[in-house]
Amino acid sequence: MELRQLQYALQIAIEKNFSRAAEKLHIAQPSLSQQLSKLEKEIGVLLFQRTTNSVEVTYAGTRFVEKAQKILDMVEQLKQEMEDISQMRKGKLVVGSLPITGAHVLPLVLPVFQERYPEIDIVLVEETTSNLEQLTASGQADISLLSLPLIDDSLDYEPVIEEEIVLAVPPQHPLAARLAAGGSKTVDIAELQEEPFIALKRGQGFRQIAIALCNDAGFTPNIVFESSNIETVQSLVAAGMGIAFIPHMLLRGWNELAPAYLRLSNRPTRTLVIAHRKGRYLSKAVAAFMETFRQVMEAERAKNRPE
């Protein structure tokens, strides 16, 4: 049994027509028929029922095609792995990202990666946390930038960034006034039990982090507004509509729509990770991207580290 015979049987099953299958395979129809007959004789079963006008897959043919597809897929992955061992493979890398978080870190990483590996095309997919997990688990995204915790247990990950979470309050909020008057420089989350919260909508990973912070402090947050965009969340806070937890990298500089930011006494953090499907072969391109990401983030930390 030869690999090309598996390919031939698979194409006939797809086309259900010898002429079209031969055309797709770029071989003569008599050669295709001869190879199929040879295969059927070798394995001792009829794979296709031929009539004058059609080709029908037999039960044995259905089972054969299912297994042939898996074998050919494994062969293709093996080829890719061997190509990676010998040299960096040209091609495409699909990277999933949270829109706002990605907007802060990917402009630092992508130019460096492109300069190092100009022959690898990056396709960026921006989605919600839940959608990114699905795309990564199905293999439609090679890797994704996500925040812990991950819901899909078919995903594995590597931590790349840990950053502090702070509290955003309206500029005229009593907590902001307390800090301005020289009071406590931090806020206990338990103090926020009666406060109105503004949160991200369901499907966003940071929403679960925010709720968990409140739950750990012994209460369920009173969520009065929701948004799919954390920039909108900050604008609503600045306008006096409530308070919110915000990752440190997303803090706004001073402007008319900037909230006041306060540190939380327990100094909570969120962890950003590069996630991929468990058991999936990680190409050399994926490994190079992850290494570039780590190096760029470490350089940024060193640059911003206090003297």
Side-chain angles (χ1 to χ4, degrees):
M1 190 183 302
E2 301 175 15
L3 285 176
R4 62 172 180 164
Q5 292 174 323
L6 303 186
Q7 294 170 330
Y8 293 170
L10 183 59
Q11 197 66 48
I12 294 169
I14 292 171
E15 302 295 339
K16 292 187 171 55
N17 182 282
F18 274 81
S19 296
R20 288 197 299 270
E23 184 179 348
K24 291 288 179 63
L25 293 165
H26 305 291
I27 62 173
Q29 183 177 332
S31 296
L32 178 60
S33 299
Q34 182 181 14
Q35 286 296 324
L36 180 62
S37 296
K38 181 180 176 181
L39 174 62
E40 290 176 325
K41 184 177 180 180
E42 180 182 349
I43 61 179
V45 294
L46 191 69
L47 300 178
F48 299 96
Q49 190 71 49
R50 292 90 149 167
T51 66
T52 304
N53 299 318
S54 66
V55 176
E56 296 297 330
V57 186
T58 65
Y59 172 74
T62 299
R63 298 288 294 158
F64 185 91
V65 167
E66 288 175 357
K67 298 293 185 183
Q69 177 67 70
K70 292 180 180 179
I71 292 169
L72 293 171
D73 284 345
M74 291 177 67
V75 170
E76 184 59 33
Q77 291 209 24
L78 179 59
K79 286 180 181 178
Q80 291 178 3
E81 187 170 353
M82 292 303 103
E83 288 173 2
D84 274 353
I85 289 173
S86 64
Q87 61 180 357
M88 178 65 72
R89 180 171 60 88
K90 295 180 182 180
K92 151 178 109 165
L93 183 60
V94 181
V95 178
S97 175
L98 303 168
I100 303 300
T101 299
H104 283 73
V105 296
L106 291 180
L108 302 174
V109 176
L110 292 181
V112 177
F113 183 82
Q114 188 175 47
E115 182 178 357
R116 292 179 180 178
Y117 308 100
E119 295 182 330
I120 298 178
D121 294 328
I122 296 285
V123 177
L124 187 60
V125 178
E126 295 181 310
E127 277 289 353
T128 63
T129 300
S130 57
N131 287 345
L132 284 178
E133 288 198 21
Q134 292 174 11
L135 291 171
T136 310
S138 67
Q140 295 178 70
D142 295 305
I143 52 177
S144 285
L145 179 63
L146 294 164
S147 61
L148 295 182
L150 303 182
I151 304 302
D152 195 319
D153 59 10
S154 71
L155 298 180
D156 204 352
Y157 62 87
E158 179 177 334
V160 287
I161 299 173
E162 186 165 1
E163 63 169 334
E164 187 173 352
I165 297 170
V166 303
L167 179 69
V169 301
Q172 305 307 317
H173 193 281
L175 287 174
R178 184 179 76 183
L179 178 62
S184 174
K185 295 183 178 181
T186 62
V187 177
D188 288 331
I189 296 178
E191 295 181 58
L192 309 176
Q193 185 166 353
E194 303 302 323
E195 295 285 345
F197 276 83
I198 302 171
L200 291 171
K201 291 183 178 179
R202 286 177 174 81
Q204 304 276 7
F206 193 72
R207 174 193 174 93
Q208 297 308 118
I209 294 174
I211 292 174
L213 288 175
C214 294
N215 291 342
D216 291 345
F219 68 94
T220 299
N222 173 28
I223 299 175
V224 294
F225 287 103
E226 296 179 344
S227 174
S228 58
N229 189 317
I230 202 158
E231 293 296 342
T232 303
V233 169
Q234 297 202 69
S235 293
L236 291 172
V237 172
M241 306 303 293
I243 66 173
F245 296 119
I246 304 293
H248 190 271
M249 73 166 62
L250 304 185
L251 303 191
R252 291 179 173 178
W254 186 89
N255 62 52
E256 65 276 9
L257 289 177
Y261 298 109
L262 305 171
R263 267 191 160 152
L264 298 162
S265 56
N266 61 340
R267 304 290 291 274
T269 61
R270 75 161 175 171
T271 302
L272 294 175
V273 302
I274 294 179
H276 57 85
R277 189 177 70 201
K278 289 179 182 175
R280 179 183 175 89
Y281 170 68
L282 297 182
S283 69
K284 213 167 180 181
V286 169
F289 183 86
M290 294 171 72
E291 179 61 22
T292 301
F293 199 108
R294 284 192 296 268
Q295 292 174 355
V296 170
M297 289 299 103
E298 180 55 38
E300 284 297 308
R301 282 192 291 269
K303 186 169 66 176
N304 296 321
R305 197 172 291 142
E307 295 294 337

